[in-house]
Amino acid sequence: MTAQTLFDKIWASHVVDSPLQEQARVEALTGAGLSVDGDAGEKQEMLYIDLHLIHEVTSPQAFEGLRQAGRGVRRPDLTLATVDHNVPTMGRDLPNPDPLSATQIEMLRRNTQEFGVTLYDIMDPRQGIVHIIGPEQGFTQPGMTIVCGDSHTSTHGAFGALAFGIGTSEVEHVLATQTLRQQKPKSMSAEVTGSLGTGVTAKDVVLAIINKIGVKGGTGHVIEYRGSVVESLSMEGRMTICNMSIEGGARAGLVAPDETTFLYMKGRPHAPAGDAWEEAVEAWRSLPSDEGAHFDKHVHLDGTEIAPYVTWGTNPAQSVPVGGHVPELHELPEEHHESAERAYAYMDLTPGTPISEISIDRVFLGSCTNGRIEDLRAAAKVIKGKKVASDVGAMVVPGSGLVKMQAESEGLADIFTESGFEWREAGCSMCLGMNPDILSPGERCASTSNRNFEGRQGPGGRTHLVSPEMAAAAAIAGRFVDVREVVS
Amino acid sequence: MVKGKAVPMDRANVDTDQIIPAKHLKRIERTGYGEFAFEAWRSDPEFVLNRPEHADAKVMITRENFGSGSSREHAVWALDGLGIEALIGEGFADIFKNNCFQGGMLTVELPADDIDHLMEVVGKQPESEVEVDLEAQTVSLGDVSWQRHFDIDPFQKYRLLRGLDDIGMSLEYQADIARHESTRPGWLPATS
């Protein structure tokens, strides 16, 4: 048998074999006067979805579509809802001051109730960012297909699950049929060998990969992250890397499941237990890519050469190591000059400025990229006993209610508040600027989130993407500093 | 078939946060997003969508990686709200392209040289009409003085031309779906 990738195996085991669909395809092609052999168009396949995560922002129109067509939800028992994008991170016991947000959240309550879908509502301790709670509850498992109306669904790929973001029409399709019509993407191997130095994190690895392949380097591909650096990362770190696959254009990222994966999962509320656990683990061990499996594209990085990264521009590929400077035009390929010039202006940066001379106004620690317990521990370690710079406003938004509770029980919340960070309730918050947590025009933010697009964190706001450790060090110094000099 | 004036959006990597900012994703309908499309860039009076000569464009000419970032289908609804019916560009982000297909918004990919030409013509002669013929798979300028062929998956073309309902089609395969379900491992998680 041909050697298969992890991606090939998951894909093949989820294709719904449908003679009727094949017949319809043949009819369409012959009807259009075309041949039906493999070359006549890429073949769309119907993929079964094991877990469908939904949230308040991209689902209301999908439920309304079902209602209008008189359709139901095929598998409410494979669907999980929470509120995250649009919830306030403070004053949750008070009425929501924004009537539009309140209506959207209320719609999710009504829709989940009407269609029988489980909802982790705003006061549920399990509420949180949809990509944090899936793994936390043990819903995210190797070999599964997982979708959500959110591009950072790629996060779940850290467990060796094929997980990707979809639009609202596709959300409706999954609700009605528990399947999706998709063409199989190509595969890409991103191999990171060697090891990481102290103070260098998964966030820096993924920023380095995106810097190398560019924001469209992964378009049309599913990336499998491999190599000794990836293998040695914790599940939290693997999630951070897979999370940002979409920033390199790839809909999904994957890491082969291994002992680290199983150790993280065992005993979680919805992970298999008893004999089922043994049976599942045995099956999961057969998932990793076979020796010699074919990838359509390759990229390689040496982990020992990766430094903490800081983005300087308005897309996630516009980044440099912290010891560097805002690149001059002549240091960039010509096709990037125009976007670099727009970024200099928007970010109010002069080419050649050392990164360590860029001072900041705000720090945001959180998001589906870096809002897990390990991220908070790492940041707390950097700030312990120190004070946030007097002219910097800093906040921590834990990724879930359970992350928040754990951080409080470990004493991390006290470390943050004593050093001057605000300690908030779980949600997406300032990652996307949908709730009241936004930057003011012109404010500059060191952010652990995933996108530095113009206005992403609020109109006119300027975002620099960094790791939690780097964000913490910047909060104390009031400017970017090399965290390796702070911790050593 | 889409025929009308075109607007040149001459920037690479136009992300969906620019097309429709997150703060306008609070509506629970599929309509009403057009007035917020490209909100930040529209504060510049010189921005191409503010120029009267492009006011009623039906086609948008774009660069590479248009629609990158968020999966929000609201981006397609916002373009639709602007009166855009087809996008012609160097390349589109994966999720955005799927969303366009779902929303009946035609995306046509052409090589950079052809996009350069279209940008120049519609920039200098904004009254020029661009025609996208899905049936013939061609993009033409004016009275066919310039024409290019584009590729599209034939099955997708067929579905777009017939306006077929994806969900309705998939629901015909319920027996196949049920058969697949019966083979799923027992340890897989359930949410209720």
Side-chain angles (χ1 to χ4, degrees):
Chain A
M1 209 175 131
T2 325
Q4 289 184 303
T5 61
L6 165 60
F7 166 55
D8 292 331
K9 294 178 193 183
I10 304 174
W11 186 274
S13 64
H14 287 81
V15 171
V16 175
D17 183 26
S18 172
L20 269 173
Q21 197 199 355
E22 179 58 20
Q23 192 186 324
R25 188 180 79 92
V26 171
E27 279 169 16
L29 295 176
T30 47
L34 294 156
S35 87
V36 292
D37 63 28
D39 298 332
E42 300 150 77
K43 189 174 164 187
Q44 269 215 334
E45 294 178 293
M46 198 150 63
L47 208 60
Y48 194 83
I49 302 303
D50 291 320
L51 178 65
H52 187 194
L53 302 164
I54 59 177
H55 62 85
E56 74 277 24
V57 177
T58 57
S59 69
Q61 297 86 355
F63 281 112
E64 185 54 27
L66 291 182
R67 253 192 299 270
Q68 282 174 4
R71 291 167 178 155
V73 175
R74 182 180 176 88
R75 295 296 298 265
D77 62 326
L78 303 183
T79 312
L80 178 70
T82 194
V83 283
D84 56 2
H85 282 63
N86 196 7
V87 292
T89 56
M90 56 195 295
R92 286 196 174 169
D93 44 347
L94 305 169
N96 193 320
D98 178 349
L100 277 177
S101 298
T103 302
Q104 196 170 55
I105 293 165
E106 189 51 37
M107 270 318 285
L108 186 66
R109 288 186 188 124
R110 281 175 45 194
N111 287 331
T112 49
Q113 196 170 18
E114 180 182 338
F115 290 93
V117 172
T118 300
L119 168 68
Y120 291 172
D121 206 345
I122 193 160
M123 300 308 271
D124 190 313
R126 298 167 297 179
Q127 175 269 338
I129 306 174
V130 67
H131 311 308
I132 304 249
I133 67 175
E136 190 171 76
Q137 291 296 317
F139 287 122
T140 303
Q141 299 177 14
M144 287 173 67
T145 48
I146 302 174
V147 296
C148 174
D150 186 279
S151 61
H152 293 109
T153 308
S154 56
T155 313
H156 307 264
F159 292 77
L162 178 63
F164 52 90
I166 56 177
T168 297
S169 296
E170 291 179 315
V171 168
E172 187 178 337
H173 192 280
V174 178
L175 287 171
T177 69
Q178 204 59 32
T179 68
L180 261 186
R181 293 158 168 276
Q182 298 285 304
Q183 285 170 7
K184 189 179 176 188
K186 296 190 171 84
S187 63
M188 177 171 174
S189 155
E191 192 178 15
V192 191
T193 52
S195 58
L196 298 179
T198 311
V200 182
T201 69
K203 182 67 164 282
D204 305 306
V205 172
V206 72
L207 285 173
I209 293 172
I210 296 164
N211 181 270
K212 184 157 183 166
I213 67 173
V215 287
K216 64 183 181 76
T219 302
H221 291 73
V222 166
I223 303 177
E224 183 179 329
Y225 301 96
R226 303 148 64 82
S228 51
V229 163
V230 178
E231 287 162 19
S232 66
L233 284 174
S234 65
M235 289 314 293
E236 280 90 343
R238 295 177 188 184
M239 283 189 256
T240 299
I241 291 187
C242 288
N243 172 275
M244 288 189 69
S245 300
I246 185 71
E247 313 315 332
R251 276 180 96 176
L254 288 164
V255 174
D258 61 9
E259 298 309 315
T260 306
T261 319
F262 309 146
L263 196 64
Y264 178 96
M265 290 178 61
K266 196 167 187 184
R268 292 195 178 260
H270 296 273
D275 290 347
W277 171 260
E278 300 303 328
E279 194 191 336
V281 169
E282 197 188 323
W284 295 338
R285 286 191 203 283
S286 69
L287 285 170
S289 295
D290 300 330
E291 191 72 33
H294 169 79
F295 289 91
D296 299 296
K297 212 169 174 177
H298 292 267
V299 60
H300 172 258
L301 281 84
D302 180 354
T304 54
E305 288 177 4
I306 300 174
Y309 265 74
V310 180
T311 64
W312 56 268
T314 53
N315 75 51
Q318 290 174 320
S319 63
V320 284
V322 61
H325 56 266
V326 177
E328 309 258 10
L329 273 190
H330 68 80
E331 296 172 274
L332 297 167
E334 202 180 326
E335 71 262 29
H336 294 163
H337 286 189
E338 205 175 313
S339 58
E341 283 183 301
R342 284 189 56 82
Y344 297 149
Y346 183 84
M347 295 296 287
D348 191 27
L349 290 171
T350 309
T353 305
I355 295 298
S356 61
E357 286 179 15
I358 300 173
S359 50
I360 54 160
D361 308 301
R362 304 280 291 271
V363 171
F364 171 63
L365 187 51
S367 84
C368 57
T369 312
N370 282 126
R372 285 169 284 269
I373 190 69
E374 191 178 272
D375 301 312
L376 304 193
R377 285 181 191 139
K381 202 168 151 190
V382 174
I383 61 163
K384 192 173 183 180
K386 298 173 185 155
K387 292 282 181 204
V388 171
S390 58
D391 48 358
V392 171
M395 67 194 280
V396 186
V397 181
S400 71
L402 292 175
V403 168
K404 179 170 184 272
M405 282 165 65
Q406 190 174 349
E408 285 167 352
S409 73
E410 290 181 15
L412 305 179
D414 291 337
I415 295 174
F416 282 115
T417 51
E418 278 162 20
S419 71
F421 275 81
E422 287 184 53
W423 183 249
R424 297 291 188 90
E425 305 280 350
C428 300
S429 178
M430 206 199 275
C431 175
L432 85 162
M434 198 166 170
N435 77 357
D437 308 339
I438 56 169
L439 298 178
S440 300
E443 276 191 326
R444 192 179 293 286
C445 181
S447 180
T448 66
S449 55
N450 40 57
R451 288 189 177 134
N452 51 345
F453 298 156
E454 290 181 24
R456 170 79 178 179
Q457 297 191 289
R462 297 173 178 135
T463 304
H464 296 270
L465 303 176
V466 287
S467 71
E469 289 88 330
M470 284 286 290
I476 305 300
R479 61 181 175 84
F480 289 109
V481 290
D482 189 336
V483 69
R484 294 172 296 185
E485 290 162 17
V486 178
V487 291
S488 62
Chain B
M1 169 112 69
V2 177
K3 188 176 185 176
K5 293 204 283 184
V7 55
M9 184 63 63
D10 196 1
R11 301 177 189 198
N13 307 315
V14 173
D15 59 77
T16 50
D17 276 83
Q18 307 316 317
I19 301 172
I20 184 79
K23 65 176 170 175
H24 297 301
L25 306 183
K26 297 176 184 176
R27 301 171 57 78
I28 55 174
E29 299 86 15
R30 285 176 190 254
T31 52
Y33 300 93
E35 62 179 299
F36 308 115
F38 298 97
E39 184 179 51
W41 293 352
R42 281 172 116 171
S43 64
D44 171 5
E46 289 304 303
F47 180 55
V48 70
L49 285 171
N50 288 334
R51 295 216 293 267
E53 64 269 29
H54 296 301
D56 48 359
K58 285 186 179 173
V59 177
M60 186 176 280
I61 316 293
T62 70
R63 289 293 181 185
E64 60 178 26
N65 201 31
F66 186 88
S68 54
S70 159
S71 65
R72 60 190 70 164
E73 196 166 329
H74 310 64
V76 180
W77 304 334
L79 290 165
D80 181 68
L82 284 179
I84 300 297
E85 296 174 27
L87 302 167
I88 306 174
E90 287 176 41
F92 301 93
D94 288 346
I95 304 178
F96 177 77
K97 198 168 148 183
N98 268 9
N99 287 340
C100 283
F101 179 70
Q102 293 289 336
M105 171 84 63
L106 197 53
T107 55
V108 173
E109 287 177 50
L110 289 178
D113 290 352
D114 292 334
I115 298 298
D116 286 345
H117 182 71
L118 285 171
M119 288 279 183
E120 196 186 329
V121 170
V122 302
K124 285 183 179 161
Q125 301 158 290
E127 69 286 357
S128 307
E129 291 214 316
V130 177
E131 183 185 292
V132 184
D133 186 336
L134 175 59
E135 182 88 54
Q137 293 181 226
T138 54
V139 173
S140 317
L141 257 177
D143 46 2
V144 205
S145 57
W146 181 94
Q147 192 174 65
R148 291 291 180 272
H149 175 86
F150 66 88
D151 290 328
I152 183 168
D153 174 65
F155 190 39
Q156 299 210 351
K157 172 181 169 181
Y158 173 80
R159 289 154 68 201
L160 275 176
L161 285 173
R162 299 285 172 94
L164 296 177
D165 164 27
D166 262 11
I167 299 177
M169 283 165 66
S170 296
L171 283 172
E172 288 180 26
Y173 314 137
Q174 290 198 69
D176 299 321
I177 298 171
R179 197 171 56 246
H180 180 90
E181 280 173 331
S182 69
T183 66
R184 298 174 74 236
W187 69 74
L188 285 169
T191 57
S192 59

